[in-house]
Amino acid sequence: MKNLIQTAIVASVAGILAGCYSDSSSKTEKNEAQSVSDAQRVYVAPGKLDDYYAILSGGQSGSVFVYGIPSCRFIKEVPIFEPRANLGYANNSGSDTYKRLHDTGPMWGDTHHPVLSQTDGRYDGRWLWINDKANGRVAKIDLHTFETAAIAHVPNIQGAHGIAAYLPSCKYVYVNGELEHDLEGGSTDPSRYHSVIAFLDSGTLETKFEVMLTGNADIASSGKDGRYVFSTMYNSENAITSEGMIERDRDAVAAIDVPLAEKALADGKFSRIKNIPVIKPEDVPGVLTLIPVPKNPHGCNVTPDGKYVLASGKLSPTVSIIDAHTLKVVAEPEVGLGPLHTTFDNRGNAYTSLFIDSQIVKWNIDKAVKGDPTYIVDRVDVHYNPGHTKAAGADSSDPSGDWLLSLNKMSKGMYLPVGPAMPESQELIDISGDKMHVVAAFPSMPEPHDAVFISRTVLADKVAQTYDPQPAAIKLGEEKIVRNGTKVDVYMTCIRSKFVPEQFEAHPGDQVTVHISNAETVRNMTHGFALADHGINIAVDPGQTQVVTFTAGAQGTYWYYCTWFCSALHLEMRGRMLVKAPNETLSDSINPPTQAKAPGTTGPASYE
Ligand code: RUQ
Ligand code: CUA
Ligand code: CA
């Protein structure tokens, strides 16, 4: 009885509440309906593919992350400036990837700005270039394999920050020196400080020439017609303290006339610093134009049609619109507080991240240029403090106008608390309509800094099934062991589910080099080669050959085994390195007369 009364009271209270708040319940229903439709927009069923590959710079992770858009699913991390044991990348001091990283600088780097190659103003799915801000390096990723294909150190640069491809040809990638120093003499006298913008051959990554600046160069974007490339400069003061760097009300956008720089090179109008031709603007009038803009500008973005370059004010609530041909500022619309980066759709709109306002603001470029006060189209809140923002295709001449990513610096209460430090956060925004709409958020490791995204259809036929066999590939049946004093080279193959040879021999302290080719001919059949107690693990993808050198340990048996779960016989895919006493003679036979089983035993019990 008591229960019944209680139930009746609860029911009537609920009824009163429902009556009182009928407005809010319809609002709740509306919100729920919206959530359902948002969820549908980003839902990609298991086994179905996303429309876009989003490539996010890993920042301090030293890598890039590949996410599927719109599902926001994490697909892959491509290590670049960092060792990565599970991918066999640069984690063994005797591997080729380790040597390449080690020979160009430290084993860690800071990736900021991923740049896709283009042909005729469209992403062509061939290359991705990215900078290492910390150590003056640039890397090239081959999108055929999603692997780092080259890394180069750029001389004379510190804080290699902004990077862009020179358009439309992509003949060069150029990278900006953000941190001033004395390039010539290593003096610590600030009056000798300069920085450079370095132009690299986009294929070989060789530094072809540099242009010297007083002050710094920060973010980069290329004009579309082969004439000017642009960089923001926030320290035109050439100051050495943060107060000094915000003294002036205006800093600059630097425009470099590339054909004129090439002519100066041909005419010998340069000095050599660390063997790189460096053009000093005072020797080549017109090679560098400084366009004054307010204040400590940050993002630098050329519009898809190549007409304008936009520089965000950062410390000014404005974006400066500069004619990319006459280099004149044509408008300076106010957009909100802390504007950083701008991206584009295919309908003439710009989308600017507002760090302080925690918003993305959508505004119409033509209206702003014409002084039409209705240029602001929409604003949307993001969570929280966006740095970069990027829409699909926005760095090409052919943006898609459907999706935009906001790369947020803070996630605050967005995810389960995991300690005082929280993950980085991205939000996916539907920009296909007049109003922007945040449809999904996803966390990631620190720190996606910038992103580019490319349609699946562009990469569909380009991503390799297997590696093209390298000249050094070992063919099945041609495995061998070659000994030369204390050096032994093992030429090994692997295929489901066996290494050949399944054993090789060494003396303690011998220098062993294993060359291992994966003979699989289908995608996804990666094998690994891990060697017990030697700190060795490499991943060998289908068709690939990897090389690793190490010192054989103390006398004994050391098994090597496959680290990628490749078949039902994955665990059985293993072999032995036999380290024998120094006075014992070693066998170099590929098929030594070994028994399949140890003699005189059938293991703990016989079931035969
Ligand atoms: S900078 S948050 Cu390295 Cu890309 Cu602007
Ligand atoms: Cu090969 Cu597991
Ligand atoms: Ca300044």
Side-chain angles (χ1 to χ4, degrees):
M1 188 64 183
K2 201 178 160 202
N3 276 348
L4 260 182
I5 292 167
Q6 259 180 359
T7 309
I9 292 167
V10 169
S12 69
V13 168
I16 291 161
L17 283 177
C20 294
Y21 296 109
S22 62
D23 267 8
S24 96
S25 80
S26 78
K27 209 170 161 192
T28 309
E29 271 164 35
K30 229 170 142 189
N31 284 346
E32 270 168 19
Q34 184 66 58
S35 299
V36 169
S37 94
D38 290 348
Q40 282 168 345
R41 292 279 285 132
V42 299
Y43 180 69
V44 179
K48 297 280 182 252
L49 302 182
D50 277 289
D51 292 335
Y52 291 96
Y53 291 81
I55 303 176
L56 279 56
S57 49
Q60 312 160 50
S61 294
S63 55
V64 295
F65 308 132
V66 182
Y67 281 85
I69 298 293
S71 74
C72 305
R73 293 183 294 200
F74 172 73
I75 315 269
K76 180 172 184 160
E77 183 171 10
V78 181
I80 308 169
F81 303 111
E82 51 133 356
R84 182 55 61 90
N86 60 348
L87 298 170
Y89 182 84
N91 66 318
N92 307 131
S93 59
S95 68
D96 293 346
T97 48
Y98 181 100
K99 282 181 217 147
R100 184 181 60 194
L101 194 51
H102 181 265
D103 291 353
T104 54
M107 299 303 287
W108 166 84
D110 187 11
T111 54
H112 273 222
H113 301 112
V115 176
L116 286 167
S117 59
Q118 302 186 24
T119 301
D120 300 328
R122 293 195 155 87
Y123 297 150
D124 57 21
R126 296 177 64 207
W127 305 108
L128 178 105
W129 295 282
I130 196 155
N131 63 314
D132 168 7
K133 181 183 166 179
N135 310 298
R137 288 184 288 195
V138 172
K140 187 175 87 167
I141 313 288
D142 185 350
L143 293 176
H144 184 62
T145 55
F146 279 77
E147 288 242 337
T148 305
I151 296 178
H153 182 255
V154 183
N156 302 325
I157 214 162
Q158 210 178 100
H161 195 190
I163 178 173
Y166 167 60
L167 297 175
S169 68
C170 289
K171 175 177 166 188
Y172 305 114
V173 290
Y174 72 99
V175 56
N176 292 340
E178 185 183 355
L179 308 175
E180 312 78 2
H181 62 125
D182 175 26
L183 326 172
E184 285 168 290
S187 156
T188 56
D189 173 2
S191 71
R192 299 184 58 84
Y193 285 2
H194 291 278
S195 42
V196 297
I197 298 179
F199 289 78
L200 281 58
D201 180 298
S202 62
T204 63
L205 301 187
E206 185 194 342
T207 302
K208 293 306 223 182
F209 66 94
E210 295 175 342
V211 177
M212 194 186 255
L213 297 168
T214 302
N216 73 343
D218 188 20
I219 304 301
S221 187
S222 172
K224 308 270 186 183
D225 62 356
R227 178 88 189 266
Y228 295 112
V229 299
F230 303 97
S231 303
T232 43
M233 298 175 70
Y234 65 79
N235 187 19
S236 63
E237 297 91 346
N238 208 16
I240 51 168
T241 62
S242 54
E243 296 83 3
M245 290 176 204
I246 57 171
E247 226 165 62
R248 291 185 177 166
D249 283 336
R250 287 190 175 247
D251 291 284
V253 167
I256 289 174
D257 185 330
V258 178
L260 193 61
E262 287 175 328
K263 186 167 179 301
L265 275 188
D267 296 347
K269 289 189 200 158
F270 58 82
S271 340
R272 277 192 181 273
I273 304 178
K274 300 212 182 82
N275 218 21
I276 303 294
V278 179
I279 298 169
K280 297 185 176 167
E282 58 270 27
D283 301 336
V284 186
V287 78
L288 172 71
T289 306
L290 298 180
I291 307 152
V293 297
K295 171 177 189 173
N296 286 44
H298 191 64
C300 180
N301 299 94
V302 173
T303 53
D305 59 11
K307 266 171 128 173
Y308 305 112
V309 49
L310 312 183
S312 302
K314 193 166 80 185
L315 303 187
S316 151
T318 53
V319 172
S320 300
I321 307 178
I322 300 161
D323 185 308
H325 301 100
T326 65
L327 310 185
K328 297 275 176 291
V329 177
V330 295
E332 233 153 48
E334 278 201 21
V335 294
L337 294 183
L340 289 184
H341 293 276
T342 299
T343 190
F344 306 100
D345 65 16
N346 51 355
R347 303 181 298 277
N349 298 304
Y351 299 78
T352 302
S353 54
L354 302 174
F355 183 84
I356 297 171
D357 279 340
S358 276
Q359 283 183 337
I360 303 294
V361 56
K362 173 180 177 182
W363 53 281
N364 184 276
I365 301 165
D366 261 354
K367 283 187 174 178
V369 169
K370 289 183 183 133
D372 180 336
T374 66
Y375 61 91
I376 299 284
V377 182
D378 191 24
R379 292 177 189 276
V380 72
D381 292 336
V382 292
H383 311 85
Y384 298 86
N385 306 90
H388 277 266
T389 179
K390 193 62 67 69
D395 294 341
S396 75
S397 303
D398 186 33
S400 347
D402 46 4
W403 295 113
L404 173 144
L405 274 176
S406 174
L407 295 118
N408 307 323
K409 301 300 184 194
M410 314 285 162
S411 61
K412 297 186 187 172
M414 294 286 284
Y415 307 106
L416 291 174
V418 285
M422 287 298 289
E424 307 291 321
S425 176
Q426 286 69 233
E427 284 174 301
L428 182 68
I429 301 177
D430 179 354
I431 56 165
S432 58
D434 284 341
K435 288 245 157 227
M436 291 178 283
H437 189 58
V438 179
V439 293
F442 60 99
S444 70
M445 307 233 281
E447 161 212 354
H449 192 88
D450 188 9
V452 279
F453 36 133
I454 184 167
S455 167
R456 167 162 58 92
T457 57
V458 175
L459 283 171
D461 310 322
K462 295 212 165 65
V463 181
Q465 288 275 346
T466 63
Y467 276 84
D468 304 326
Q470 291 143 269
I474 301 117
K475 296 195 184 76
L476 290 173
E478 295 183 6
E479 302 86 353
K480 60 184 176 187
I481 297 167
V482 178
R483 193 173 310 272
N484 192 344
T486 57
K487 287 197 163 104
V488 54
D489 283 272
V490 181
Y491 296 88
M492 186 180 280
T493 60
C494 57
I495 191 165
R496 275 161 290 170
S497 288
K498 198 173 176 66
F499 294 107
V500 177
E502 275 184 322
Q503 66 174 69
F504 63 86
E505 301 184 352
H507 286 136
D510 279 1
Q511 186 189 306
V512 181
T513 301
V514 177
H515 312 249
I516 179 167
S517 293
N518 180 332
E520 301 283 354
T521 54
V522 291
R523 176 178 275 161
N524 212 3
M525 289 316 309
T526 300
H527 298 288
F529 175 90
L531 176 63
D533 297 332
H534 283 71
I536 301 298
N537 183 34
I538 46 182
V540 197
D541 292 322
Q544 196 178 29
T545 299
Q546 296 277 26
V547 179
V548 65
T549 298
F550 54 89
T551 302
Q555 202 180 315
T557 295
Y558 301 91
W559 287 90
Y560 42 93
Y561 67 95
C562 177
T563 34
W564 285 67
F565 209 110
C566 51
S567 73
L569 283 174
H570 162 70
L571 293 174
E572 290 79 355
M573 188 170 175
R574 55 185 171 125
R576 295 174 303 155
M577 175 170 77
L578 307 172
V579 182
K580 297 193 164 175
N583 56 358
E584 260 187 277
T585 324
L586 302 177
S587 163
D588 292 336
S589 168
I590 285 298
N591 296 304
T594 37
Q595 305 87 337
K597 295 185 235 172
T601 169
T602 51
S606 172
Y607 301 102
E608 289 168 305

